[in-house]
């Protein structure tokens, strides 16, 4: 049997091809060395950076993430974590574009409140419209509402990223049928973002047909982040292969593995 290679089934975002379907954050690690080791173990090619919380040149006196994870090796995905208004999110993306020499790929998130960290959809729609008009390629964090997900696609977002569960909760995919509906009606990449806790959660997302998963806390918050990053890499690959293979249908009753038809006695 011919082994499936990642190059045979790439992830394509904003016209660029990636072999890994795992996107990882760069926050919450104990230091930049642990960040580097975990990112390398994950096999990720796209890494997110919270512009409001991470130094990528804003402060010359602090360690610079760009020196630890060089942009020649990784695609940086600046995100608007910590923004609660469309205005703040747009300003943050424009700052990222300046710091990263015209980089236009961004992850947009506009949060509704500090307790749930659910997205404020009205503010997110407003920010997305402005950013797309301003020439950004927007990957948007949203809730798991299929109608809203389609709206973001139709307005021009290059990827839609519904939450699996609240940010940092580790609860896994709470509404798999919503995610499935979003996937089935999409013509842009759908990536689960937020709520993944362990490798099986990541595998389920890919088995549902999601194009990828973005995670941070599930790796950085693990007892051994580097080992968890490696586990997530394998789970993503296994989940994608299972999706492509086509699972058997669920049945209420048993179905014999060895049918009795054609037996010798």
């Amino acid at each position: 049997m011919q082994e499936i290679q990642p190059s045979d089934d790439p992830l394509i975002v904003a016209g660029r091809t990636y072999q890994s379907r795992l996107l990882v954050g760069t926050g919450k690690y104990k230091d930049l060395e642990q960040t580097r080791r975990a990112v390398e173990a994950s096999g990720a090619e796209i890494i997110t950076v919270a512009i409001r919380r991470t130094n990528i040149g804003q402060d010359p006196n602090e360690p610079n993430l760009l020196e630890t994870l060089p942009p020649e090796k990784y695609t940086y995905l600046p995100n608007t974590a910590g923004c609660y208004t469309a205005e703040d999110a747009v300003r943050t993306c424009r700052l990222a574009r300046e710091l990263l020499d015209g980089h236009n790929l961004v992850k947009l998130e506009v949060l509704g409140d500090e307790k749930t960290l659910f997205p404020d959809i009205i503010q997110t729609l407003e920010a997305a419209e402005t950013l797309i008009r301003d020439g950004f390629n927007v990957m948007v964090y949203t809730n798991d509402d299929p109608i809203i997900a389609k709206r973001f696609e139709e307005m021009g977002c290059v990827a839609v990223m519904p939450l699996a569960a609240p940010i940092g909760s580790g609860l896994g995919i709470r509404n798999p049928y919503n995610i499935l509906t979003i996937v089935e009606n999409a013509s842009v990449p759908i990536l689960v973002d937020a709520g993944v806790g362990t490798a099986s959660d990541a595998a389920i997302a890919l088995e549902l047909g999601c194009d990828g998963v973005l995670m941070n806390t599930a790796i950085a918050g693990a007892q051994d982040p580097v080992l968890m990053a490696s586990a997530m890499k394998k789970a993503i690959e296994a989940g994608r292969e299972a999706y492509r293979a086509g699972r058997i249908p669920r049945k209420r009753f048993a179905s014999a593995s060895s049918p009795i038809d054609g037996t010798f006695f």
Side-chain angles (χ1 to χ4, degrees), residues 80-123:
T80 59
C83 292
Y84 289 84
T85 68
E87 182 181 2
D88 281 348
V90 169
R91 184 186 306 114
T92 300
C93 288
R94 288 172 175 164
L95 173 62
R97 183 158 61 181
E98 291 181 14
L99 292 170
L100 294 171
D101 299 323
H103 184 82
N104 284 327
L105 184 66
V106 295
K107 177 197 165 187
L108 171 64
E109 59 180 78
V110 185
L111 304 178
D113 64 69
E114 295 184 1
K115 181 178 181 179
T116 67
L117 299 182
F118 282 140
D120 182 325
I121 298 302
I122 295 174
Q123 292 290 306

Side-chain angles (χ1 to χ4, degrees), residues 55-73:
N55 182 39
I56 57 171
Q58 304 97 309
D59 189 343
N61 299 313
E62 292 293 325
N64 189 334
L65 184 67
L66 298 177
E67 297 174 357
T68 301
L69 299 169
E72 298 80 22
K73 183 176 180 181

Side-chain angles (χ1 to χ4, degrees), residues 3-146:
E3 183 178 353
I4 297 174
Q5 300 295 329
S7 58
D8 299 331
D9 181 37
L11 170 65
I12 301 175
V13 179
R16 185 167 176 179
T17 298
Y18 301 94
Q19 304 310 317
S20 174
R21 293 176 178 274
L22 176 58
L23 291 68
V24 298
T26 54
K28 301 185 178 181
Y29 293 96
K30 69 177 183 179
D31 53 35
L32 286 180
E33 174 58 19
Q34 187 181 67
T35 305
R36 181 191 65 77
R37 293 174 58 223
V39 171
E40 288 184 353
S42 75
E45 297 167 271
I46 302 176
I47 57 175
T48 67
V49 54
I51 297 300
R52 296 162 66 102
R53 301 170 182 166
T54 307
N55 182 39
I56 57 171
Q58 304 97 309
D59 189 343
N61 299 313
E62 292 293 325
N64 189 334
L65 184 67
L66 298 177
E67 297 174 357
T68 301
L69 299 169
E72 298 80 22
K73 183 176 180 181
Y74 299 98
T75 293
Y76 269 67
L77 181 62
N79 71 51
T80 59
C83 292
Y84 289 84
T85 68
E87 182 181 2
D88 281 348
V90 169
R91 184 186 306 114
T92 300
C93 288
R94 288 172 175 164
L95 173 62
R97 183 158 61 181
E98 291 181 14
L99 292 170
L100 294 171
D101 299 323
H103 184 82
N104 284 327
L105 184 66
V106 295
K107 177 197 165 187
L108 171 64
E109 59 180 78
V110 185
L111 304 178
D113 64 69
E114 295 184 1
K115 181 178 181 179
T116 67
L117 299 182
F118 282 140
D120 182 325
I121 298 302
I122 295 174
Q123 292 290 306
T124 305
L125 285 165
E126 180 181 332
E129 185 176 19
T130 300
L131 290 169
I132 292 167
R133 189 170 58 243
D134 204 17
F136 284 93
N137 291 320
V138 178
M139 302 175 66
V140 62
Y141 165 68
T142 183
N143 57 28
D144 58 6
D145 180 341

Side-chain angles (χ1 to χ4, degrees), residues 225-243:
V226 178
L227 187 59
M228 183 60 81
S230 177
M232 291 298 187
K233 177 178 184 289
K234 298 180 180 72
I236 292 287
E237 292 171 352
R240 182 63 181 180
E241 288 191 9
Y243 169 73

Side-chain angles (χ1 to χ4, degrees), residues 168-203:
S169 67
L171 290 172
I173 297 177
R174 295 294 83 199
N175 293 307
Y177 292 106
N178 279 30
I179 299 294
L180 181 60
T181 300
I182 292 172
V183 168
E184 289 176 338
N185 290 288
S187 56
V188 298
I190 302 298
L191 300 97
V192 159
D193 179 16
V196 168
T198 190
S200 57
D201 299 331

